[in-house]
Amino acid sequence: FVCFRTEFIKKMLNIDRLNPLSIATEIKGYDYNGVKKYRSCSSEDKSALEYNTILFPINIDGNHWALAVIVTKEMKIIYYDSNGCVGHVYLNHLLQWIVDESLEKYNIQIDKSMWTFEHAACPQQQNGSDCGVFVCLYAHYLLHSMEMTFTQQHITDSNIRTTIAVALLQHSVAHVSAI
């Protein structure tokens, strides 16, 4: 797997804040040049498209987190959102990125009609503050091929925020245990 930093989506969509004091954003449109030379979080020197699973944490308007996942071998892009929102704009532009990246790096034309979008049936938050924790857990469960059985109650009753923080500080996803 490989994971991109959150600013990848911002640069890909050419997103600007309308007002620094506002959460409203303006999507100016897809811009491959903004991410053409962008590197993933991987230390390996290979194209992201060479990985089977590519994760994209998405910050929406500065107040919500979601996760898009490209599964290259299955030719699908999956959207995980703890509020049940639909992320068509992100999925469509990530598919365009796949097309452009394939052409740029490998001189291969991708047929968009062969790809599918999926909005995952995933655990949902019951408050307005745990979306980031849900995104971290979605990624963890996906990368460990585990069924997503956690709920809002698990997050509220556990010390999962501390566990995630320790794992991040130690640069290890292995320390985040299943709930």
Side-chain angles (χ1 to χ4, degrees):
F1 80 94
V2 68
C3 179
F4 277 82
R5 292 179 176 91
T6 58
E7 66 259 8
F8 177 88
I9 297 292
K10 182 179 176 182
K11 290 177 186 251
M12 180 183 71
L13 296 180
N14 198 11
I15 294 175
D16 278 340
R17 293 268 179 183
L18 293 175
N19 176 338
L21 302 175
S22 168
I23 61 169
T25 58
E26 176 185 6
I27 297 176
K28 293 183 177 178
Y30 175 80
D31 179 18
Y32 179 67
N33 288 326
V35 293
K36 189 181 211 176
K37 295 182 180 180
Y38 199 89
R39 308 298 269 159
S40 67
C41 295
S42 169
S43 59
E44 297 182 37
D45 190 27
K46 63 182 186 179
S47 170
L49 296 180
E50 294 179 47
Y51 291 89
N52 183 49
T53 305
I54 309 169
L55 304 177
F56 297 88
I58 302 169
N59 185 265
I60 303 165
D61 287 338
N63 66 357
H64 182 61
W65 288 94
L67 181 68
V69 178
I70 296 174
V71 185
T72 54
K73 289 182 182 175
E74 296 176 29
M75 297 192 326
K76 69 179 176 180
I77 307 173
I78 309 167
Y79 189 73
Y80 294 84
D81 192 304
S82 60
N83 278 339
C85 299
V86 183
H88 289 300
V89 67
Y90 304 107
L91 302 181
N92 285 316
H93 290 305
L94 282 170
L95 180 54
Q96 185 60 51
W97 172 76
I98 292 168
V99 169
D100 292 343
E101 189 78 355
S102 295
L103 197 56
E104 176 74 21
K105 302 275 193 278
Y106 305 108
N107 201 28
I108 295 173
Q109 184 65 46
I110 299 291
D111 180 0
K112 286 184 181 183
S113 69
M114 300 297 290
W115 284 75
T116 59
F117 295 156
E118 181 180 318
H119 292 88
C122 53
Q124 299 292 290
Q125 70 184 83
Q126 304 299 312
N127 62 23
S129 59
D130 286 331
C131 53
V133 176
F134 273 83
V135 165
C136 290
L137 291 176
Y138 294 155
H140 177 75
Y141 276 69
L142 287 167
L143 297 176
H144 292 283
S145 301
M146 299 178 347
E147 183 179 348
M148 291 187 198
T149 56
F150 63 92
T151 66
Q152 176 71 58
Q153 196 62 42
H154 289 110
I155 292 169
T156 304
D157 292 347
S158 74
N159 63 349
I160 193 65
R161 288 177 184 272
T162 303
T163 304
I164 291 170
V166 168
L168 292 171
L169 289 170
Q170 295 178 347
H171 302 288
S172 169
V173 294
H175 289 80
V176 181
S177 62
I179 294 178

